[in-house]
Amino acid sequence: MTTIAFIGLGNMGLPMAKNLLGAGYAVTGFDLSTDAVKALAAAGGTAASSTADAVDGADIVVTMLPAGPQVRAVYGADILPNAKAGALFVDCSTIDVESARDVAAQAESAGFEMIDAPVSGGTGGAEAGTLTFMIGGTDPAVAKARPLLDVMGKTIVHCGGVGNGQVAKICNNMILGVSMNAVCEAFVMAERLGLDAQTLYDVTSTSSAQCWAITTYCPVPGPVPTSPANRDYAPGFTAAMMMKDLGLAEKAAETAGVDSKLGVATLERLKNYVETGGGDADFSGIIRMIRGN
C-alpha cells in the first residue's frame, strides 16, 4: 500500500487528507494545530508528533502550507533530511514561483522528485474531491502522483515544468479576484438604479457577462443558493487568502514586466477590506464594503 505523509491539515488540507483515507490510502498527518491532527486520527489516519515523524517511511509527501517561507522552511529543515529514498514530494500550497522552483531544485539535488500542485475549488471542492489541480513537474513525477490527485480532484492539468503550476494558479486567481470585484460593483449599481438582483443574474448568467463569479459564486443572496452570500459570507475562500494570492500575482507581474493595473487596484481594495475586519469572510463579501455596509 502507498503510504502518504500529509503536512498541513487546515481548511483545505484536512478534507483532502480525509478523501485519501476514504480511498484506502494510509495517511500519516501533522499540523501545528493539535485539533487538526486529532481530527485526522478520528477519520482513520495516523497522528504524527512532528513533520519529521510524519514523513519517515512515506512513499509520497503532500504539503499544504500557507506561503513560500513555510514551504522553504519545512522542506529544508524537516522533509528533505528525513524522507526515505525515492519519495515523491507534492506541494499543494499556493506560493511564489521562485520559492516553488528553488525548493524543487533542492529536492532534485537531494535525489527526490517534486511537483508543485496548487489547487482551485475552495473548501467545498476539497471536501467533495472535485478540486482542480494545476501541476508543474516532469511527466514521470506527474504520472506517479496522478492516482492521488484523481482522488482529491476532478480536473488535473499538467501545466509544464516545475513552477508552472504556481504560474497558472496565480493567473487564475488574479482573473477571479478582478472579475468578482467587477461583478460586485455591477450588482450594487443595479440595486441603486432599481434593478433587482435576480433579474440582473438572469441576464448576466446567460449573456456576454457570464463568468464563474456570477454563475457559481454570485455575491448577493438568492440567485445561486450555494454561494457564500446565502451564508452571511462564511468562507469558501477567505478575503485574506485572496489578498495573499493577488499579492503573489502583483510580484509575478513586476518580475515579468506586465502592467497589471486591474490586479493592483483589486489588491488595494482587498487590503482595505481585510484591514477593516473582512479577512475571515469569503472574498465575495467585499460587496458589503462596495455597498457601504
Side-chain angles (χ1 to χ4, degrees):
M1 176 187 293
T2 300
T3 57
I4 300 169
F6 208 112
I7 312 302
L9 301 169
N11 292 335
M12 296 292 291
L14 181 59
M16 292 165 67
K18 285 182 177 179
N19 284 335
L20 292 172
L21 288 169
Y25 287 100
V27 180
T28 299
F30 178 72
D31 191 279
L32 294 177
S33 166
T34 55
D35 287 343
V37 176
K38 289 177 181 177
L40 179 70
T46 300
S49 60
S50 65
T51 296
D53 179 33
V55 304
D56 183 28
D59 299 308
I60 299 177
V61 178
V62 181
T63 45
M64 176 60 92
L65 300 168
Q70 288 86 354
V71 172
R72 288 178 181 270
V74 167
Y75 274 90
D78 299 313
I79 295 177
L80 289 174
N82 293 287
K84 77 173 188 178
L88 171 68
F89 302 151
V90 179
D91 183 36
C92 296
S93 317
T94 296
I95 62 175
D96 60 287
V97 177
E98 182 181 5
S99 289
R101 289 177 173 161
D102 284 352
V103 174
Q106 293 173 32
E108 183 179 6
S109 295
F112 296 100
E113 292 181 300
M114 183 172 185
I115 65 174
D116 52 297
V119 303
S120 180
T123 54
E127 291 167 0
T130 58
L131 294 168
T132 293
F133 282 88
M134 293 150 272
I135 314 298
T138 66
D139 288 340
V142 174
K144 187 175 179 180
R146 183 72 191 233
L148 277 76
L149 303 178
D150 284 337
V151 169
M152 298 183 289
K154 182 178 180 181
T155 303
I156 316 298
V157 182
H158 187 185
C159 302
V162 169
N164 277 16
Q166 299 297 345
V167 174
K169 175 63 185 291
I170 291 168
C171 291
N172 178 81
N173 278 23
M174 185 175 74
I175 293 169
L176 174 58
V178 171
S179 62
M180 178 57 77
N181 271 258
V183 168
C184 289
E185 290 178 1
F187 273 84
V188 171
M189 183 167 64
E191 289 172 8
R192 295 185 179 174
L193 293 174
L195 180 65
D196 69 88
Q198 184 63 54
T199 301
L200 180 60
Y201 174 84
D202 291 343
V203 172
T204 56
S205 64
T206 57
S207 64
S208 55
Q210 188 275 328
C211 63
W212 190 90
I214 292 174
T215 58
T216 300
Y217 232 64
C218 187
V220 296
V224 179
T226 55
S227 78
N230 297 283
R231 306 188 304 274
D232 193 31
Y233 301 98
F237 189 61
T238 66
M241 292 300 292
M242 178 58 82
M243 183 183 74
K244 184 202 87 168
D245 288 1
L246 286 174
L248 294 175
E250 181 182 17
K251 291 178 182 177
E254 291 174 356
T255 300
V258 175
D259 183 4
S260 60
K261 286 187 174 65
L262 291 176
V264 170
T266 303
L267 173 59
E268 290 307 309
R269 176 179 272 170
L270 272 165
K271 284 181 178 177
N272 189 9
Y273 183 53
V274 170
E275 289 169 359
T276 55
D280 291 334
D282 191 82
F283 79 101
S284 61
I286 201 166
I287 192 171
R288 295 186 290 195
M289 190 177 78
I290 295 169
R291 191 183 283 124
N293 57 13

